[in-house]
Every structure is written in C-alpha cells, then in structure tokens.
Amino acid sequence: MSKELIELKNISKSYDGQLVLDDLNLVIHENEFLTLLGPSGCGKTTTLRIIGGFETPDQGQVIFDGQDITSLAPNKRQLNTVFQKYALFTHMDIAENIAFGLRIKNKTDQYIRDKISYALKLVNLEGFEHRMPDSLSGGQQQRIAIARAIVNEPKVLLLDEPLGALDLKLRQDMQYELIRLKKELGITFIYVTHDQEEALTMSDHIVVMNQGYIQQEGTPEDIYNEPENAFVADFIGDSNIITAVMVRDELVRILDVEFPCVDKGFGNEKPVDVVIRPEDVELVKRGEGRIPGVVTHIIFKGVHYEMEVQAGGFEWLVHSTREFPVGTEVDIRVDPFNIQVMNKPASEDEQAIGVEE
Amino acid sequence: MNNRIRPIEKIYMAVIFLFMYAPIVTLIVLSFNRSKSRSKWGGFTMQWYLNLIHDHEVLNAMANTLIIALIATVVSTLIGTAASVAMTGMKRRMRSLIIGVTNIPMINADIVTGISLMLLFKVLHFDAGFVTVLIAHITFDIPFVMLSVLPRLKTISPSVYEAALDLGAEPFFAFRKTILPDLAPAIISGALMAFTMSIDDFIITYFTKGSGFDTLSTKIYSEVKRGIRPEIYALSAIIFVAVLILLFASDRMKARSARRTGVVKKGMNAKLKTYGAVAGIAVASILIIAMALVYGGVFSKNSDQVFVYNAGEYIDPEVIELFQEETGIEVVYDEFESNEIMYAKIASDGAAYDVLCPSDYMIAKLIDNDMLMKLDRSAIPNAYEYIGKQYYESATAFDPANEYAVPYCWGTVGILYNRNLVNGPVDSWDILWDPAYKGEILMQDSIRDAFMVALARRGYSINTTDPAEIDTATADLIAQAPLVQAYVIDQVRDKMIGNEAALGVIYSGEAIYTKRENADLEYVIPKEGSNVWIDAWVISREARNAENALKWIDFLCRPDIALMNFEYITYSTPNIAAQEMIEDEEIRNSAVAFPDEETLNRCDTYISLGEEGDRLYNEAWKKVKSAD
Ligand SMILES: Nc1ncnc2c1ncn2[C@@H]1O[C@H](COP(=O)(O)OP(=O)(O)O)[C@@H](O)[C@H]1O
Ligand SMILES: [Mg+2]
C-alpha cells in the first residue's frame, strides 16, 4: 500500500445538539480513489467539508501529510473541492473561472494561459474560454468546475456528488471521464456519493457510512461480496437477508433447514443474519434442492429475469437467466460459499434500511 | 380574454391618478407662475428657480440635506450590508429576531422615533445639531439597506464564496469577488433607498436638529407661517423630481438584481449604468455643496454668535448678512411656525435662543412666566431714538413698564374688499353679515380674529371674558356662517387677488401686498374698532449671548435697516425715521400701512385671556365651526 496522506482521528461533529459524526476514524492513502458512500444525511458532506476546512470538528484531528491541519483555513490547504452545485463564478467567463486560483498565486500570464488550455483539453471543452458559465449545460459546468480545481495541482481533489445533478447517460460518461482524469493526474480523489453503483464502478476504496458511523471499509469487491452487516448488504444491492441460527462452524440453519457454509467462529446455536445475493440463489426442480417453493412474480430485466419465490415462509429475490413462469414449483439451492453469515445488528445504524426491531 | 379596459375602470383609474397627482401638478405649475398669487396665472417664469441659487439659507439647507444624506447613506449602507452578511452565519431564530428588532424603527411612527432619539440625545448630553441629525438618519436608514440586501443575499449560494476560499482566496477577497458582484445591485438599491429616505425625512430631523441647523424639509416647514414663497414651490418641485428619480433608479436596481445577467456585454453595460447613476448623484451633490460653500459659507464657524428665533419670512435675508459683516457676529437664525411652538421651545430650553420675536399676547405670557430678560437701555440707543413713542405706549398692554420688548412690526386687522364687487364704501363690520354677499365673504380661521370681528361689531371689548358677551358673539358667528365662503388664513390674500371673493378679513401687511397685485382691492379698518397687533424683540432670560442679542436689536432699529425690512416684509414698521425714508409716496402716506392716530385709538391689542377665558373661547369656537 502507498503512503498515508490524510488521517481523520476521532472526529465528532454535531449541529444544534444533534450528533452528525461520532468518533470517526479514517485513513486515506496517496493516489487512492476513495469514496464515501451512504444514504442522504449520513454525514458524508460534513466529513468532506471537515477535510476541506469549511467546518471545524467539535473533537478530533485532521492530519495532512503528517501535519495537524484541523484549524487551518481552507484557502491555506493543499486540496481543492468540486462542489455539489458546481459553484462557478457566474459573472466571470470560463477562462477567468479557471484562472481564479492561479491569479491568487501570482502565476505569470503565459503559465495561466497554458494551464487553461491544458485543463480545457483535459475535460474535453477546448475553445470554451470566453463563454459565460450560464451558457453551458450542467455536464459542461461540472467539467469546468473540475478544470478550475485541478489547474491548481492539488494533492487531493474533493468531489461532493459531482454527478448528482446529471442525467443517467451523462452520468455514466462522466464516471469514465473521472476515472481517466484520476489516472492522468495521479492524485488522490475523495469522492462522495449515495449511489452504490457509482461507488463500485469508480473507487479503489469504499467507505460505507450510516448515521455518522463507518459501517465497513474495503475494496468494491470486499464490500459487495462480504458485507459485514445487514445495512451494508442491503445498501450495496438488493439481497436476501434472513434471520438464521449458526448451528456450529460451517453449518447454518436457515428457515429450519440446515445449509453447509464456509463461515466459522460464530459459536454454537448462535442467532445470526445471512445474506444471499439474488444471483446466488439457484432454482432447481422439485426434490433437487433444499427448500421447496413457488414462483409468485417474474419481471424481465434485460440481462436476467427477476423473480420472487415463496419458500419456507420467506419471499426470496432471485436473479436468473432462465425463465420460471409464475406458479412453477421449484426448490431452492445455495452453494456454501455464497452464504454470507453476519452478526446480528449491534445498533440501529447497522440494521438493514427500513427494518424496525 | 378581453384585455380592453372598460370605461368605468378607466374613469376609476383617472380619478385615482387625479387625486394622487393633482397636488403635485399644482405645485409644479405654481413654481413657474410669475404671479405670487396662488389663484392667478401671471405668465411663465423661471425666476423662482433662479432665486434659489442666490438664496443662501436655502442653499445652506440644501447642502446640509445632501451632506447628511450622503454620509448617512454611506455609513448605513456599510453597516446594513455588513450586518446582513453577518446574519447569514446565524441560527435561524436569532436571525429573525434581529430582523424584527431592526425593522422596528421602520414600522414605528416617525414621530415616536424622532422623540425617542431626541430624548436619548438629551440624556447623553449631545448638542442637538448636525451630528445628532446624522446619527438619527443613519439609524433609520439601516433597515432600508437591510431590507434590500437580505432577500438578495438569501438567493446567493454560499458555495460560490467557499469555492473562492477553496481556490486560495483570503476571506475578504473571496467575498469581494463572489458575493459582492451579485449583491451590488441590491446594495445600490438599498443605498438609493436610504438616500431617498434621508432627503425625504422631516419629522425625525425636526426633533433631532436643535437650533440653528436646518435641512430642506425643516426649512420649508419653517416658512409656512406667512404663506409660502414661490421659491419654495420651486424647491419642492425639485425635491419631488429628485426623489422620483431616486425611487425609480432604486426600483430599476432591484429589478436588475432579481434578473441575472447572462452575457458579458450586458453585464458590463448594467454595471456601467449603475456606476453612472451613483456617480451622477455624487457629482450633483458635490456641486450643490460646493455652491453652498461659495455662496453661503456653510462651514464658517464663529465663537461669537447670536441665536435668533424669528417667525418665518420675517426679515430681509440681506439684513442678516449686513449684521454679520458689520459686527463679525455670526447669526444662527431659526424660524418658528407659530407663537405657540416658539413658546414650547423656549419653555423646554431657555438657552436655545438668545433673541426672539413673539407677538404681543405671547410676550405677556413670557413675562408672566419670568422667561425674559430686562433690556439694558444703554445698549440699544437706536431703539429709543427711532421707534415711535406711541408704539411703546401700545406695548404697555403686554409690557407695562416697557422693560422687555422693542416693537418690530405692527399692523391692524381689517376688511379687504373688491371695489367692483361691493356697493359703496365699506366702513363697518356689519357688511360681513349682509346677505347680499352670501358666499363672497372670507373669514380668518383663527379663534381670536374671528371673535374679534364679532365682538368689535357689538361694541364689546375684543378681550372680553364675559360669558354673556361671548355667547352673543358665538350666536352672531353661527348666524353668519351660511354667508361665509370659507374660513381660511393665507388664502384670503390669494382669493382676493384672484377676484374669487368680495370681502375678506385680513392683516394690514397683507393688504399692502394684495393692492400691488390687484388694484381693485381696498383695505379698511371698520369704525367699530379692531385689533392692532405688535410683534416685538425680546431676550430670553437664559440667553447665553445677551450682549450680542442687544446688538442685534439695536441694529434692527437703525432706520436704514428698518427700511430694508419694511420693504421686504411689507408689515408696518414702528420706526419713525424709517417711515419718513420710504420713497414710494403712496405707501409712505398709506392709511393702510400707517393709519392715523384717531383710527389707532379705536384699536386694541390682544391680551392674554387666562385659562378660563381660553376655555370659553375654545368651546364657543367649536360650536361655530360645527355650524359652519
Ligand atoms: N450547517 C448545518 N446546520 C445544521 N445541520 C446540518 C448542517 N449541515 C448538515 N447538517 C445535518 O447533518 C446531517 C448530515 O449532513 P450531511 O453531512 O450533509 O449529509 P450527507 O452529505 O451524507 O447527505 C444531516 O442531518 C444534516 O441535516
Ligand atoms: Mg451531501
């Protein structure tokens, strides 16, 4: 792993007596594409603003390159931000917008000109120097906001839901643009989004947050395949989350049926949650699987069929390339390594969304 | 949809506009009227506007107005904008609380704000004047700035400011580059609003200004006692137009700040216009202030002063200049609207003025309340050499030992009639009860003058407090009411000049003037007798510059000076030497200006009626007016 660049130590922050971040710890490495992922209101923006210097934490420290910058003014920090709503300077043209930071640093005119054309090229908006921000589309404005930030050669670029206001197609294009930019610039991106697909697509490292706590950290694969709790599992994608009992190591009882699995160390006869991804549920002929059931719903989704199967008193979500018409009697089978066993939620924020207990 | 306005709606609109703008149009038209009369068109003239340029007092007031308005605007704009910006960082509840508090002066009645500020300044021992007025104006201007800036500020996303910080800008630079350009139209609109309010204000200024300091509005107000000079129409017309332009500009700014400018060129243009408007106001103000400096010497401060409190238009301004030149004493000159207002002022602060010019009955009241200083005769030789003995004799009615007052102007009350509209010579008050002149009679709208007519007609004392006599007079006035066209004050003069009435009760000084404008008018003091009034100079007991006040009185008694004043004011002068120097033979021998001894003997001065008498007259007057 490369060198540590930013460290958040025991950060707490509350607004009007309401705790928004609770003892948050996070390490960000050089050259990483790190994404803060979580539902709206979970404290992502607040975390980003603390890194950017726009908010001061009530407790804790922000370490940048070994220096404590907790109370350093934003204009003194070696990082730049791409704001959620672009925040372009409407009364300046594009060139002036991009040159803003460079002029403050007293760069020569030649240098500034070169930087402007380099940046516009980088974001594929050559020739836009003398347009006014209002005359640009949302996607173009967003790219100018990025150009304006990167000409300052920050060590870190902070992006707060930069694609949130764009339509789906544009958003996908911009995702690839950003990945390319990141590679070309070779700097650290800290990216905020509530869109799990976006996070999985772009990031090297994902931090899943809920209600001011970090739920899980890891590569997109870790997060997707091995969610540590019901919240992560649910947030990262549609899943079957079922209450179960760990009989002993490598054997779990799901809906009163025993399944072999690969997890160990949960103890004996211990209540747990299991997560089974819809694409990991196999539908087989009656008698060939473990739990008998009936198909109650089917929708064609393009790549696969999405079905609901009533089996063992639970409504299973199943993705399959094979079609099983409504009413088909089937059995459900799951491979041991596709059963993800998790501890029961220790607190409210670890619960799956919408579950009340 | 039918977009045509129906006739009834058109008429309705027309009526509303008529009501709203008729007074202003009248004012503007009169400001170009060559005749001084309000009811006669004497041809077009710019004279009144030109006169303004040479009127040092008006220029002075105008300069004060502009200096106050400019400073108050700049300061209140800075404070108001800073406060608005600071408030964005506050919690919502705190913010609405502060908005509420700052808005109070705006919704508060001006008179309450004015009086509270006056009291505050008194408590803090501030000398009322320029500084107090300025502070007051800043105070009431701030909410107007905030009212304009706050809503605009709410629409500006703070992330633009944060983006500038993020790019390395220092906080103030970031504010200047991001928020300020978006806020500028709202700030300018607020500033224009503040400027307008400041120029426009009368009440608050009036209560905080103290003596010797006037803005245009208080200056104009102080002129109303004797009817307004046409120059004041001109001045008011200018103010109206100026305020209109400012409001219009402010509105344009606000509209602009609501819109968003898209293209560079348009943005530049708007900016240019904005700066143009602001620069225009600044340049115009500076020019006027410079003019005031040249003509008026606004800032010449002199420790050797005399504070004079006189009725409006009751001196030739040149006399003040001459006095200053000859003695080196600076005259701080203020005008009062009525004897009662003068009394209230002196009663609340006896040292506010040194020398005053009240009327007879009011002098009696001042003496009764021990508010006057005995005059040092040796310091005012002119007063005893040139003022006629008979006037001191008359003055004993209110100043029994001639210790306090030196007569300044005097006159009688009589009937002004139009020879062409009235049969035969008029010699009795009876004619005002003659049904033949129904609707052609103008009465004075003042208790003492109205009752004087009725009492004199019956042969009663014009100072009677006998309830029976007052009852008779009341009944007479009620009986007369159907014949009376109107109870008025200044308009007697104008209506008579314009042939709008046949008979009117009027003061002799006005009569001389009306005869110049309309040769058909005649003035007569009825045989039953009438009122003779005397206005005289007195010195406040608490005067700080009593010596200079004596010099002032003596100066005014110099024959050449008395003559200048007579020619300017047209009220009769008690200065015998001046009377003899009047060039116009007709006036020198005029029975109107200088009635003979015999006529004068029929006339009495008013004396104080006492509390009970005042009450009786007030009640009787109410009955008369409700019958009117
Ligand atoms: N300036 C603020 N004042 C009060 N509450 C705030 C402020 N900023 C954020 N919050 C609250 O803090 C919580 C977290 O906000 P935020 O960090 O913006 O969430 P996210 O970006 O994950 O959607 C929310 O409940 C939000 O209402
Ligand atoms: Mg957010």
Side-chain angles (χ1 to χ4, degrees):
Chain A
M1 240 269 168
S2 54
K3 168 174 166 241
E4 283 183 14
L5 186 61
I6 299 176
E7 187 178 1
L8 301 183
K9 277 186 172 167
N10 310 101
I11 299 281
S12 293
K13 174 83 186 171
S14 50
Y15 290 114
D16 310 327
Q18 187 205 344
L19 206 56
V20 172
L21 295 177
D22 190 2
D23 198 26
L24 184 113
N25 287 284
L26 182 63
V27 174
I28 299 157
H29 294 88
E30 218 162 38
N31 267 335
E32 210 170 34
F33 194 127
L34 179 130
T35 299
L36 300 175
L37 173 66
S40 178
C42 72
K44 306 181 296 291
T45 297
T46 306
T47 310
L48 204 69
R49 288 172 62 79
I50 285 173
I51 299 172
F54 302 112
E55 301 283 354
T56 344
D58 300 338
Q59 269 165 41
Q61 289 169 297
V62 182
I63 311 292
F64 185 91
D65 229 357
Q67 308 274 327
D68 183 344
I69 59 160
T70 316
S71 46
L72 193 68
N75 51 325
K76 303 276 191 286
R77 300 192 180 194
Q78 290 178 333
L79 25 83
N80 286 111
T81 310
V82 176
F83 288 86
Q84 205 160 358
K85 285 172 213 131
Y86 324 139
L88 295 182
F89 307 133
T90 47
H91 53 281
M92 301 181 193
D93 68 12
I94 298 306
E96 286 175 81
N97 262 280
I98 297 175
F100 192 90
L102 301 174
R103 291 214 193 282
I104 289 169
K105 295 185 189 77
N106 284 323
K107 300 291 188 193
T108 64
D109 285 352
Q110 185 57 48
Y111 178 90
I112 292 175
R113 255 197 308 280
D114 291 348
K115 271 290 185 187
I116 292 173
S117 57
Y118 159 77
L120 285 176
K121 199 167 181 179
L122 204 65
V123 298
N124 281 327
L125 287 174
E126 284 145 298
F128 275 62
E129 281 88 346
H130 299 298
R131 296 276 293 271
M132 292 305 280
D134 286 357
S135 69
L136 268 55
S137 72
Q140 290 170 331
Q141 291 192 29
Q142 188 55 273
R143 281 187 276 171
I144 297 301
I146 294 168
R148 182 178 66 179
I150 60 181
V151 289
N152 300 290
E153 299 177 355
K155 286 194 172 173
V156 181
L157 192 62
L158 310 178
L159 304 102
D160 191 355
E161 312 222 12
L163 312 183
L166 307 182
D167 59 44
L168 184 65
K169 178 74 178 72
L170 200 54
R171 197 153 68 215
Q172 283 168 350
D173 290 347
M174 280 299 290
Q175 287 174 8
Y176 294 112
E177 290 272 309
L178 282 173
I179 295 169
R180 177 181 64 81
L181 264 177
K182 156 84 181 55
K183 289 208 174 100
E184 274 180 44
L185 293 168
I187 60 175
T188 309
F189 274 34
I190 304 178
Y191 192 93
V192 161
T193 183
H194 65 268
D195 181 335
Q196 43 94 11
E197 224 176 276
E198 200 167 286
L200 294 173
T201 310
M202 302 169 76
S203 321
D204 302 327
H205 194 89
I206 294 179
V207 178
V208 184
M209 295 177 65
N210 193 29
Q211 299 188 1
Y213 295 95
I214 293 178
Q215 301 298 325
Q216 186 172 359
E217 273 189 69
T219 63
E221 291 81 3
D222 289 345
I223 301 284
Y224 188 83
N225 294 330
E226 286 157 41
E228 281 171 15
N229 59 43
F231 171 80
V232 178
D234 192 34
F235 192 74
I236 287 301
D238 298 326
S239 270
N240 298 292
I241 302 170
I242 311 164
T243 303
V245 176
M246 201 70 185
V247 182
R248 55 170 190 271
D249 281 358
E250 301 186 359
L251 187 67
V252 62
R253 188 161 62 242
I254 303 170
L255 304 171
D256 293 330
V257 180
E258 292 188 350
F259 283 73
C261 67
V262 295
D263 294 277
K264 297 184 253 209
F266 286 89
N268 294 341
E269 291 298 325
K270 191 78 201 299
V272 291
D273 281 335
V274 296
V275 180
I276 303 167
R277 294 276 168 205
E279 61 271 26
D280 295 336
V281 181
E282 286 178 69
L283 297 183
V284 293
K285 271 202 219 101
R286 179 57 54 87
E288 290 180 9
R290 287 189 179 256
I291 310 178
V294 179
V295 178
T296 57
H297 254 288
I298 181 162
I299 320 169
F300 181 57
K301 279 273 187 172
V303 190
H304 58 255
Y305 292 92
E306 187 176 291
M307 287 166 284
E308 280 170 26
V309 177
Q310 193 68 41
F314 183 82
E315 191 154 87
W316 296 72
L317 190 67
V318 182
H319 291 173
S320 169
T321 49
R322 278 186 59 199
E323 181 185 4
F324 295 84
V326 173
T328 312
E329 300 200 332
V330 292
D331 269 7
I332 278 175
R333 196 169 79 188
V334 187
D335 284 335
F337 48 85
N338 281 331
I339 297 173
Q340 168 74 13
V341 180
M342 310 175 299
N343 278 316
K344 280 277 190 197
S347 66
E348 202 187 311
D349 55 87
E350 292 179 5
Q351 286 165 13
I353 300 161
V355 174
E356 315 260 320
E357 268 181 349
Chain B
M1 269 297 276
N2 185 359
N3 270 334
R4 275 189 49 227
I5 304 175
R6 278 177 292 150
I8 182 100
E9 285 168 358
K10 264 189 203 158
I11 293 169
Y12 183 69
M13 293 282 285
V15 168
I16 286 188
F17 274 99
L18 193 71
F19 274 126
M20 281 195 322
Y21 289 103
I24 297 288
V25 171
T26 312
L27 177 90
I28 293 174
V29 169
L30 284 176
S31 73
F32 294 109
N33 184 4
R34 188 182 303 279
S35 162
K36 286 191 180 186
S37 159
R38 266 172 257 178
S39 52
K40 207 174 92 184
W41 178 252
F44 180 88
T45 181
M46 290 293 288
Q47 190 57 44
W48 314 129
Y49 286 89
L50 293 177
N51 284 358
L52 282 182
I53 301 175
H54 299 289
D55 187 326
H56 127 257
E57 294 205 355
V58 166
L59 277 182
N60 217 326
M62 197 183 284
N64 286 337
T65 307
L66 289 175
I67 293 170
I68 294 272
L70 280 180
I71 301 179
T73 301
V74 171
V75 175
S76 64
T77 303
L78 285 176
I79 296 178
T81 306
S84 307
V85 171
M87 274 163 62
T88 58
M90 284 176 187
K91 304 225 171 88
R92 189 175 314 255
R93 195 160 344 132
M94 189 66 184
R95 196 162 53 205
S96 38
L97 182 77
I98 290 193
I99 292 176
V101 169
T102 49
N103 278 352
I104 289 177
M106 204 157 55
I107 11 177
N108 209 354
D110 277 1
I111 191 151
V112 178
T113 308
I115 290 176
S116 336
L117 281 166
M118 178 186 78
L119 290 177
L120 178 70
F121 292 140
K122 278 241 164 82
V123 168
L124 297 177
H125 294 286
F126 275 41
D127 273 338
F130 177 83
V131 175
T132 49
V133 173
L134 181 62
I135 294 173
H137 279 227
I138 292 172
T139 311
F140 72 70
D141 275 347
I142 290 175
F144 287 100
V145 175
M146 291 177 68
L147 193 73
S148 174
V149 171
L150 270 178
R152 178 70 189 141
L153 203 55
K154 245 184 242 165
T155 68
I156 299 175
S157 155
S159 64
V160 187
Y161 167 74
E162 289 181 346
L165 285 185
D166 186 76
L167 294 167
E170 293 293 331
F172 183 71
F173 183 77
F175 175 78
R176 196 157 66 77
K177 284 289 183 182
T178 60
I179 311 265
L180 202 55
D182 278 353
L183 210 52
I187 294 175
I188 291 172
S189 162
L192 287 174
M193 200 71 195
F195 191 78
T196 313
M197 288 301 144
S198 186
I199 289 204
D200 208 37
D201 177 69
F202 165 70
I203 298 177
I204 296 174
T205 310
Y206 183 77
F207 279 103
T208 49
K209 78 185 181 69
S211 47
F213 181 84
D214 265 311
T215 64
L216 276 181
S217 57
T218 59
K219 177 78 193 145
I220 290 173
Y221 184 61
S222 68
E223 296 259 350
V224 297
K225 186 193 173 186
R226 264 199 62 205
I228 306 168
R229 290 186 288 152
E231 282 86 350
I232 298 303
Y233 303 150
L235 190 58
S236 305
I238 292 174
I239 295 177
F240 169 74
V241 172
V243 167
L244 199 70
I245 291 172
L246 284 172
L247 280 179
F248 185 67
S250 161
D251 230 46
R252 288 264 310 253
M253 280 298 131
K254 222 175 260 166
R256 181 164 300 144
S257 90
R259 251 183 282 132
R260 290 184 55 138
T261 43
V263 209
V264 197
K265 262 208 184 125
K266 213 163 126 206
M268 294 294 286
N269 218 341
K271 223 184 254 176
L272 271 180
K273 273 191 209 150
T274 305
Y275 294 142
V278 173
I281 291 175
V283 168
S285 306
I286 288 166
L287 275 181
I288 292 172
I289 291 167
M291 221 152 75
L293 284 174
V294 172
Y295 284 96
V298 180
F299 293 118
S300 55
K301 271 282 160 232
N302 196 328
S303 58
D304 206 9
Q305 293 173 313
V306 60
F307 286 73
V308 180
Y309 204 20
N310 196 3
E313 266 212 82
Y314 219 36
I315 196 164
D316 182 345
E318 256 178 69
V319 166
I320 302 176
E321 296 283 309
L322 277 175
F323 177 78
Q324 296 190 130
E325 271 167 37
E326 287 188 20
T327 61
I329 297 167
E330 189 202 350
V331 177
V332 178
Y333 187 84
D334 266 340
E335 296 176 343
F336 54 79
E337 300 76 49
S338 72
N339 277 293
E340 286 63 32
I341 290 179
M342 186 268 330
Y343 183 85
K345 184 91 194 182
I346 301 303
S348 73
D349 182 5
Y353 296 97
D354 300 313
V355 58
L356 333 161
C357 186
S359 300
D360 34 39
Y361 70 101
M362 189 52 72
I363 294 177
K365 187 166 175 183
L366 288 163
I367 293 173
D368 278 352
N369 290 297
D370 197 18
M371 286 158 67
L372 299 182
M373 186 184 279
K374 282 187 184 157
L375 301 176
D376 173 2
R377 282 173 175 254
S378 64
I380 43 173
N382 290 340
Y384 298 98
E385 182 155 3
Y386 300 114
I387 305 289
K389 294 272 172 299
Q390 65 269 39
Y391 304 108
Y392 282 112
E393 184 56 42
S394 300
T396 54
F398 52 88
D399 177 15
N402 287 132
E403 289 171 305
Y404 295 99
V406 174
Y408 179 57
C409 282
W410 64 279
T412 55
V413 179
I415 298 174
L416 187 71
Y417 66 97
N418 190 316
R419 269 193 306 237
N420 296 340
L421 301 175
V422 177
N423 293 326
V426 175
D427 69 345
S428 164
W429 293 116
D430 279 338
I431 194 164
L432 301 179
W433 272 261
D434 183 343
Y437 300 109
K438 185 171 180 358
E440 292 287 333
I441 296 168
L442 297 170
M443 286 288 284
Q444 282 286 324
D445 190 17
S446 98
I447 305 185
R448 290 303 296 264
D449 292 335
F451 274 93
M452 183 278 291
V453 171
L455 292 167
R457 173 167 166 263
R458 290 274 176 189
Y460 302 151
S461 157
I462 62 170
N463 294 311
T464 186
T465 50
D466 177 349
E469 291 182 350
I470 295 173
D471 279 348
T472 312
T474 308
D476 286 351
L477 288 173
I478 291 173
Q480 182 207 24
L483 308 179
V484 175
Q485 185 190 94
Y487 278 93
V488 284
I489 300 175
D490 294 336
Q491 280 118 296
V492 176
R493 180 174 81 174
D494 296 327
K495 283 178 179 260
M496 291 302 291
I497 291 173
N499 296 327
E500 286 176 45
L503 295 148
V505 176
I506 201 166
Y507 293 91
S508 52
E510 306 262 6
I512 294 174
Y513 167 76
T514 53
K515 270 174 86 101
R516 274 190 219 151
E517 297 278 327
N518 184 342
D520 296 330
L521 300 179
E522 284 295 342
Y523 176 80
V524 67
I525 299 170
K527 59 176 193 264
E528 297 93 341
S530 181
N531 163 242
V532 56
W533 53 265
I534 300 177
D535 288 351
W537 288 102
V538 296
I539 297 180
S540 169
R541 200 171 60 80
E542 291 173 50
R544 279 183 286 207
N545 308 290
E547 239 172 78
N548 292 345
L550 286 164
K551 282 186 193 159
W552 169 260
I553 294 175
D554 200 48
F555 185 78
L556 293 180
C557 293
R558 230 169 67 184
D560 57 324
I561 300 298
L563 182 62
M564 277 175 74
N565 273 335
F566 170 72
E567 279 169 359
Y568 184 87
I569 314 171
T570 73
Y571 279 114
S572 309
T573 173
N575 194 305
I576 303 287
Q579 286 176 14
E580 282 162 5
M581 282 159 64
I582 297 170
E583 274 182 28
D584 187 334
E585 205 171 320
E586 217 173 290
I587 293 180
R588 189 169 65 231
N589 300 323
S590 156
V592 178
F594 307 107
D596 55 35
E597 223 38 83
E598 187 268 322
T599 311
L600 274 186
N601 285 341
R602 280 183 276 147
C603 299
D604 281 326
T605 54
Y606 291 137
I607 58 170
S608 180
L609 299 167
E611 241 172 73
E612 178 59 16
D614 277 341
R615 198 186 57 74
L616 282 173
Y617 275 77
N618 277 323
E619 273 178 17
W621 183 239
K622 256 186 240 161
K623 282 187 213 153
V624 172
K625 293 294 276 195
S626 57
D628 179 22

